[in-house]
Amino acid sequence: MKTKKNWIRSELPSLLLLILGVMAFRSSFADHYYVPSGSMENTLFSGDRVLVSKPAYGLRVPFTKVKLLDGEAVERGAVVIFDSPRDGTRLIKRIVGVGGDRIDINAGHLWVGGESVAHGVGSTEVIGDKLVGINLDHDGGPDIAQLLIPDGMLLAIGDHRGRSLDGRFFGLVAESEIYGKALGIYRRRDEGFVWRPL
């Protein structure tokens, strides 16, 4: 009994330091995100687990939003993690508009700068450099008409356009508020471990 207590006493600082190191790594470098809803179908499904790059848009001081180094600019088409400006809930959505864009959404279909991003017939769009299969099973959600996005701001919406509580409801998100970039799905509820880049 005494030996066990001595071991705990001697190793506890090392264990705490290890835990703090893992938490700092997750805060600043890589993390995962559990998809709680179907707002990003057919790209992400409820129960998916997604690998997230935290330094993609800038390296931050662990546990803060203070940037040490700038990263790449958030690009149209990226799937990103941020806190809802409405209530602070952590969300995963697709960026469909960046600073300088003029955005229209009509019946769930996206237009950028007056040009449709539809790809062929059906519910596929080219957003940035991503080919995106959108879900219009529940209509398209609220429309947007000629929204000009200021520099430093982003419009984030779900791929399941009629079932996503997104920027059409809570407004634009500051680029500085983006936590990280979703890189790919590493686990799907019905399939187990997979790798599907986003």
Side-chain angles (χ1 to χ4, degrees):
M1 192 70 170
K2 214 171 196 181
T3 307
K4 188 176 180 182
K5 283 184 181 178
N6 288 342
W7 182 87
I8 290 172
R9 194 173 295 131
S10 68
E11 297 301 321
L12 187 59
S14 297
L15 289 173
L16 292 175
L17 195 58
L18 177 64
I19 291 168
L20 185 62
V22 168
M23 290 172 63
F25 181 83
R26 285 183 61 186
S27 173
S28 293
F29 293 100
D31 203 352
H32 68 93
Y33 181 86
Y34 175 81
V35 178
S37 74
S39 70
M40 281 292 291
E41 292 177 3
N42 291 325
T43 302
L44 300 172
F45 293 88
S46 178
D48 283 355
R49 294 184 184 273
V50 176
L51 180 65
V52 177
S53 170
K54 293 285 186 80
Y57 302 126
L59 184 62
R60 298 175 193 249
V61 175
F63 314 114
T64 73
K65 292 183 181 179
V66 177
K67 277 193 182 177
L68 295 172
L69 296 170
D70 287 331
E72 63 188 69
V74 180
E75 66 280 5
R76 193 182 314 110
V79 177
V80 300
I81 311 293
F82 62 95
D83 290 339
S84 168
R86 183 179 187 173
D87 61 9
T89 302
R90 183 82 30 108
L91 300 174
I92 186 166
K93 302 290 179 194
R94 187 177 303 280
I95 300 301
V96 299
V98 299
D101 285 346
R102 182 169 55 84
I103 299 294
D104 293 271
I105 298 176
N106 190 331
H109 296 281
L110 176 66
W111 298 65
V112 179
E115 300 288 326
S116 171
V117 298
H119 179 75
V121 178
S123 300
T124 306
E125 297 180 337
V126 177
I127 306 174
D129 63 354
K130 308 287 185 189
L131 188 61
V132 179
I134 62 172
N135 187 329
L136 298 174
D137 287 350
H138 297 87
D139 298 320
D143 290 343
I144 291 177
Q146 298 188 359
L147 172 66
L148 183 59
I149 301 181
D151 288 341
M153 302 300 285
L154 306 164
L155 177 61
I157 66 172
D159 291 347
H160 194 166
R161 300 278 165 84
R163 294 195 68 180
S164 178
L165 184 59
D166 53 35
R168 294 170 294 174
F169 295 93
F170 54 67
L172 301 176
V173 177
E175 190 167 349
S176 60
E177 294 297 309
I178 302 298
Y179 279 105
K181 180 178 186 177
L183 300 178
I185 303 159
Y186 71 86
R187 189 173 194 284
R188 185 151 269 173
R189 183 176 55 201
D190 297 333
E191 299 175 37
F193 289 99
V194 296
W195 179 250
R196 297 216 173 126
L198 296 171

